[in-house]
C-alpha cells in the first residue's frame, strides 16, 4: 500500500493535529501506545473534519476509546492492513 508519514496537518481552534499515516486517499491511521484527554479530543475533531477518508486507530487498549471509524489492537495490527486492502479493492 502506498502511504505517507505525517504529511498533512489539521488546524483546529485550540490545537493542531498531525496524524501518523495517510494511506492513499482513503485512510488516516493513528498509532497510539497510550491515550489521554488530548487524544480523545483530537479523535473527536478529526472525525468531524474528515470527508470520505476513514480514520483508523491502532494501539493499546486505552486507545480503543478514541473516536474513530475502526480500532485495532497493536497485537492485531496486521488486521488493519487487511481491512484497508479489502476496503480499497471492494472485497
Amino acid at each position: 500500500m502506498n502511504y505517507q508519514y505525517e504529511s498533512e496537518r489539521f488546524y483546529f481552534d485550540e490545537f493542531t493535529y498531525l496524524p501518523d499515516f495517510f494511506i492513499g486517499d482513503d485512510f488516516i491511521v493513528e498509532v497510539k501506545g497510550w491515550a489521554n484527554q488530548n487524544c480523545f479530543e483530537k479523535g473527536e475533531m478529526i472525525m468531524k473534519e474528515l470527508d470520505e477518508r476513514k480514520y483508523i486507530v491502532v494501539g493499546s487498549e486505552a486507545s480503543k476509546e478514541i473516536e474513530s471509524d475502526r480500532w485495532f489492537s497493536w497485537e492485531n495490527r496486521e488486521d488493519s492492513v487487511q481491512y484497508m486492502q479489502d476496503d480499497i479493492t471492494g472485497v
Side-chain angles (χ1 to χ4, degrees):
M1 272 191 283
N2 198 11
Y3 73 91
Q4 295 178 351
Y5 178 68
E6 293 186 344
S7 62
E8 183 179 344
R9 183 177 298 273
F10 293 88
Y11 295 88
F12 301 106
D13 291 337
E14 298 181 20
F15 56 85
T16 65
Y17 176 41
L18 186 62
D20 293 323
F21 297 98
F22 293 82
I23 312 295
D25 294 327
D26 301 303
F27 299 97
I28 295 174
V29 179
E30 181 67 26
V31 178
K32 281 289 175 209
W34 50 269
N36 60 22
Q37 187 58 38
N38 191 23
C39 298
F40 299 121
E41 291 171 7
K42 288 179 180 179
E44 184 179 329
M45 296 302 290
I46 198 71
M47 288 296 292
K48 291 178 184 176
E49 183 77 17
L50 289 181
D51 41 29
E52 297 295 316
R53 294 180 284 188
K54 293 180 182 170
Y55 182 59
I56 296 175
V57 175
V58 177
S60 66
E61 191 68 26
S63 70
K64 187 175 188 175
E65 300 305 317
I66 297 172
E67 188 172 344
S68 66
D69 290 303
R70 191 75 192 265
W71 174 83
F72 293 91
S73 70
W74 179 251
E75 295 78 18
N76 295 319
R77 61 192 174 274
E78 295 85 9
D79 294 345
S80 68
V81 175
Q82 187 64 52
Y83 170 79
M84 289 183 279
Q85 288 174 334
D86 290 350
D87 189 84
I88 290 169
T89 60
V91 173

